[in-house]
Amino acid sequence: MSHMSTSPSPARPQPTTAQVRRWRRYLADERAEGAVYRHLAARREGEEREILLGLADAERRHEQHWRDLLGEHAGRTGKGALRTRVLGWLARTFGGVFVLALAQNAEQRSGYATNEDATTAMAADERVHGEVVRALATRGRARMSGSFRAAVFGANDGLVSNLALVLGIGATGVSAGTVLFTGISGLLAGALSMGAGEYVSVRSQRELLESSHPDPDAHRVIPDLDLETNELALVYRARGMSVGEAEEHAAGVIARVTAGHGMPEQERRDYEEVGSGWNAAVSSFLFFASGAFIPILPYIVGMAGTPAVLLAAGLVGVALLGTGAVVGVLSGAPPLRRALRQLAIGFGAAAVTYLLGLLFGSSVV
């Protein structure tokens, strides 16, 4: 009886030094990204916590892929890329939607799709991870939408409007004291106006949405409806359903209520995402005032003339870059592009006012 000989499986070729270095870097990045999701999960409860832990488990599978490739060359795992370590620190220290937005950008930058050492499943995972984090970040953005919108608009308006006011008045040749008091007046007037405007805007929006929400007590008359005509179907047709969908849905609701099971869960109250009128007003007031304070800071410390103008413009420029970058991060857009756009718009408005001030000042003289 002859025995079949089993040939040994071919040995895996030894990785090059460059490959070992590159795979170790990928391994470190996966460990760091998994830690980010675990830190974020530690600050949450329920479904969001489970989702984030699921993402951490997926990163652990990716980590194992690089370990398998490295084999005996795995060695001591590094710390990961600087941006991932910074993201981990932010997740440990703050958490919140800002870190989720940064994580969303990090997932979108994954290079696994063009990496010959990564599997197609890993590339697909990273793409899906980006969508998962995007959805989680969207929840956070919705919760903070009202106050955040008021804060960003308030700070940006304070920076641009008071810089334009200070530069325009300063260009006419008046004294530094006049410029300072003009800037303080602009700060107070603008902050009060922004606060009042945001309160009215948010309250009006909430009231409009509340008036469009279904009457929660209307279901009480359902048992008394004429089942032959079933006018409840008209309600659902008015809400956008087709004739067939409306009749089917109405029949289901009537059967449920008649059987004593009550109404289905009411539609989500979209107006809750608008935010509180008072929160929006206070945020807008404070952020406008903080933004409007920056252009007058050089005059507060006693500066005047061209040095004060240049310092005010420089301080406002840095602040505009900062607010633009924050908006870019939270919206999932490239922060540098948003920052430069914010800077161009702000300086453009201020430059027009400054030129008008020069023109007006020369005409008076």
Side-chain angles (χ1 to χ4, degrees):
M1 182 177 179
S2 61
H3 295 278
M4 296 181 62
S5 61
T6 57
S7 59
S9 58
R12 177 182 296 174
Q14 290 295 312
T16 65
T17 303
Q19 284 177 319
V20 170
R21 188 182 305 114
R22 186 168 63 250
W23 293 347
R24 283 179 176 174
R25 186 173 69 249
Y26 293 149
L27 173 59
D29 287 342
E30 292 292 355
R31 283 175 55 86
E33 288 174 12
V36 169
Y37 291 129
R38 285 190 291 274
H39 291 315
L40 288 172
R43 292 176 167 270
R44 283 166 171 76
E45 298 177 351
E47 185 183 34
E48 287 193 11
R49 176 184 174 85
E50 294 176 4
I51 292 172
L52 288 166
L53 289 176
L55 290 175
D57 288 340
E59 300 296 350
R60 190 175 290 114
R61 292 194 301 272
H62 295 179
E63 177 187 337
Q64 188 60 46
H65 170 79
W66 300 116
R67 287 190 184 278
D68 292 341
L69 283 181
L70 285 164
E72 61 183 9
H73 301 282
R76 189 173 180 178
T77 306
K79 297 181 178 180
L82 176 61
R83 67 171 180 266
T84 309
R85 300 204 305 271
V86 171
L87 187 58
W89 178 81
L90 290 171
R92 289 194 305 273
T93 309
F94 302 107
V97 63
F98 187 79
V99 181
L100 281 171
L102 288 173
Q104 175 187 330
N105 289 338
E107 293 288 1
Q108 291 173 342
R109 287 195 300 266
S110 173
Y112 283 170
T114 57
N115 190 324
E116 61 182 9
D117 299 320
T119 66
T120 55
M122 292 171 65
D125 283 349
E126 295 297 322
R127 188 70 175 266
V128 172
H129 291 178
E131 293 306 309
V132 173
V133 177
R134 184 197 305 275
L136 291 176
T138 299
R139 293 185 182 185
R141 292 182 185 112
R143 286 192 291 265
M144 65 181 293
S145 60
S147 297
F148 177 73
R149 177 177 58 86
V152 170
F153 287 167
N156 189 68
D157 285 353
L159 288 165
V160 176
S161 65
N162 225 30
L163 176 65
L165 179 63
V166 166
L167 295 188
I169 293 296
T172 62
V174 299
S175 66
T178 301
V179 175
L180 174 60
F181 285 112
T182 301
I184 293 174
S185 299
L187 184 157
L188 292 174
L192 290 170
S193 175
M194 286 290 295
E198 280 296 330
Y199 178 82
V200 172
S201 173
V202 172
R203 284 298 306 171
S204 299
Q205 189 174 1
R206 285 177 64 91
E207 289 165 0
L208 284 172
L209 290 172
E210 286 174 352
S211 67
S212 302
H213 193 74
D215 183 355
D217 295 324
H219 70 279
R220 299 181 187 277
V221 302
I222 288 178
D224 300 324
L225 287 175
D226 185 347
L227 298 183
E228 296 296 328
T229 57
N230 191 6
E231 293 188 10
L232 184 61
L234 298 179
V235 175
Y236 299 116
R237 289 175 62 185
R239 294 180 187 174
M241 292 186 183
S242 66
V243 176
E245 290 174 335
E247 291 178 351
E248 181 180 356
H249 187 69
V253 169
I254 291 175
R256 180 182 177 88
V257 174
T258 304
H261 298 306
M263 280 286 288
E265 185 179 352
Q266 292 289 334
E267 293 90 339
R268 177 171 54 89
R269 293 178 178 268
D270 293 331
Y271 59 82
E272 291 178 356
E273 296 183 356
V274 176
S276 162
W278 280 112
N279 287 344
V282 171
S283 297
S284 183
F285 178 91
L286 292 178
F287 279 90
F288 184 97
S290 62
F293 177 77
I294 292 177
I296 63 175
L297 185 58
Y299 297 93
I300 291 177
V301 298
M303 296 181 66
T306 301
V309 169
L310 294 177
L311 181 57
L315 292 174
V316 170
V318 171
L320 287 172
L321 289 172
T323 58
V326 169
V327 173
V329 168
L330 286 174
S331 62
L336 180 59
R337 187 183 306 169
R338 290 296 177 90
L340 293 176
R341 185 184 70 178
Q342 202 96 326
L343 180 67
I345 293 174
F347 273 14
V352 170
T353 311
Y354 183 70
L355 292 175
L356 289 175
L358 287 176
L359 180 63
F360 181 76
S362 62
S363 65
V364 170
V365 175

